[in-house]
Amino acid sequence: MRQIDALKSPRFTQVSTYGRLPLCSQGEEVKAVFLGIPFDDATTYRPGARFGPMGIRQGSRLLRPYNQFLDVYPFDMLNACDAGDVNVVPGYIEDTMKVIEDSVYSVISKGIVPFIGGGDHSITLPILRAMYRKYGKVNIVHFDSHYDFWNLYWGKKYTHGTWLRRAIEEGLINVPIQAGIRASTFSKDDLEDKKKLGVKSFTIRDLKYNLNTVINEINSLKGPTYVSIDIDVVDPAFAPGTGTPEVGGLTSFEIIEIIRKLKFDKLIGFDVVEVSPPYDVSEITSMLAANIIYEGMSVLSLAI
Ligand SMILES: [Mn+2]
């Protein structure tokens, strides 16, 4: 019986004080890992995303082996494990970015797809540098309430609101697609910037009223694609535990359904960032982030 098989799964019976996944051990053939990046020194408002990885692990403990909506056993099909946290350097953004790039590269150089729990959104820039080292230019599918392509904050290049512009400037990106945008902006010029930078940018209205258009755009991407999800694309009613919440967002059901509809030519990595457990209520944000990663692993399972 299926149910008994599932309960025998080492990825369900393994007793852990950590998260749902067992810790990775040497010599195991894995197709995907969870990797934490506990860094939040590049936030501009509420801190706390450095505790995101442990929050997501805590939020993962109720996940069960079988995803009935996609008909997959993601953890077992990917032989997924928890690769622990990147050894970041608190207070030093550029040193940390180098450590992140090398750590992520060491994972992807083995052909493993990392599912990363942030950390603030600045971590995605060094992740993309690592992806470029292995794959050359990659597509990015970016869900967020913010553009994240601003130039400088307080005169500084590296913050959680500037990583996308840096990635484009550095030539790491093939096609940038973003969706869920709704925050008030600094100026009308931001709308011009997205044209200049070549970002295919969809607002929250596009997601709410023309979802299929956005999904078709994403699903027609060719070549290696990286997915980055700022948990603040979800409404603060469903995801209060985050650094820069914006009202009027997706429900938890909507983000989960969107992930389930995605199909990738080649999915190379996936992050959920800006989960800040100190601002969370009853673990709802951490549990949502864990479920988003579960759905992402399920989508990858369908492709193997
Ligand atoms: Mn954001």
Side-chain angles (χ1 to χ4, degrees), residues 144-146 148 230 232 244:
D144 206 321
S145 67
H146 308 97
D148 282 8
D230 186 329
D232 71 30
T244 49

Side-chain angles (χ1 to χ4, degrees), residues 168-231:
I168 293 169
E169 284 173 352
E170 292 180 19
L172 311 178
I173 305 298
N174 184 14
V175 179
I177 296 180
Q178 62 180 190
I181 308 299
R182 64 181 179 277
S184 52
T185 70
F186 297 102
S187 138
K188 197 171 179 177
D189 295 344
D190 294 336
L191 307 181
E192 288 303 312
D193 279 0
K194 76 183 164 201
K195 287 182 208 151
K196 283 186 208 152
L197 292 165
V199 179
K200 292 187 186 181
S201 189
F202 296 97
T203 67
I204 189 69
R205 287 182 170 174
D206 296 316
L207 285 185
K208 293 272 188 180
Y209 303 141
N210 295 300
L211 179 60
N212 286 342
T213 307
V214 183
I215 297 290
N216 290 341
E217 191 79 37
I218 294 170
N219 288 353
S220 66
L221 288 169
K222 294 281 176 270
T225 300
Y226 183 82
V227 176
S228 182
I229 300 180
D230 186 329
I231 199 70

Side-chain angles (χ1 to χ4, degrees), residues 16-184:
S16 171
T17 54
Y18 221 37
R20 165 51 58 214
L21 293 175
L23 290 173
C24 298
S25 55
Q26 293 283 326
E28 250 194 326
E29 278 217 14
V30 300
K31 295 190 173 72
V33 294
F34 176 77
L35 180 67
I37 304 185
F39 183 79
D40 66 7
D41 288 306
T43 48
T44 56
Y45 194 52
R46 294 174 176 177
R50 67 180 61 190
F51 303 112
M54 286 312 289
I56 294 169
R57 289 185 179 103
Q58 173 75 19
S60 75
R61 292 162 65 102
L62 196 56
L63 292 169
R64 300 177 188 85
Y66 180 59
N67 183 336
Q68 63 176 310
F69 295 102
L70 294 181
D71 188 22
V72 288
Y73 291 81
F75 296 154
D76 290 309
M77 290 166 77
L78 300 172
N79 214 15
C81 58
D82 187 330
D85 286 351
V86 170
N87 200 8
V88 302
V89 190
Y92 296 86
I93 294 173
E94 287 169 57
D95 300 70
T96 292
M97 289 201 297
K98 186 70 188 140
V99 176
I100 293 171
E101 181 184 336
D102 289 343
S103 302
V104 171
Y105 186 76
S106 79
V107 170
I108 62 178
S109 63
K110 300 183 187 91
I112 297 168
V113 179
F115 286 76
I116 294 165
D120 72 52
H121 222 151
S122 69
I123 67 170
T124 303
L125 176 60
I127 295 169
L128 290 169
R129 288 174 178 163
M131 295 291 164
Y132 180 81
R133 258 163 82 183
K134 178 168 169 68
Y135 298 103
K137 287 190 177 205
V138 302
N139 306 310
I140 180 153
V141 174
H142 166 216
F143 290 95
D144 206 321
S145 67
H146 308 97
Y147 288 123
D148 282 8
F149 54 58
W150 287 293
N151 187 18
L152 305 171
Y153 274 67
W154 300 286
K156 299 297 180 189
K157 288 171 71 174
Y158 302 115
T159 77
H160 72 157
T162 55
W163 63 272
L164 181 56
R165 180 182 292 251
R166 297 289 96 81
I168 293 169
E169 284 173 352
E170 292 180 19
L172 311 178
I173 305 298
N174 184 14
V175 179
I177 296 180
Q178 62 180 190
I181 308 299
R182 64 181 179 277
S184 52

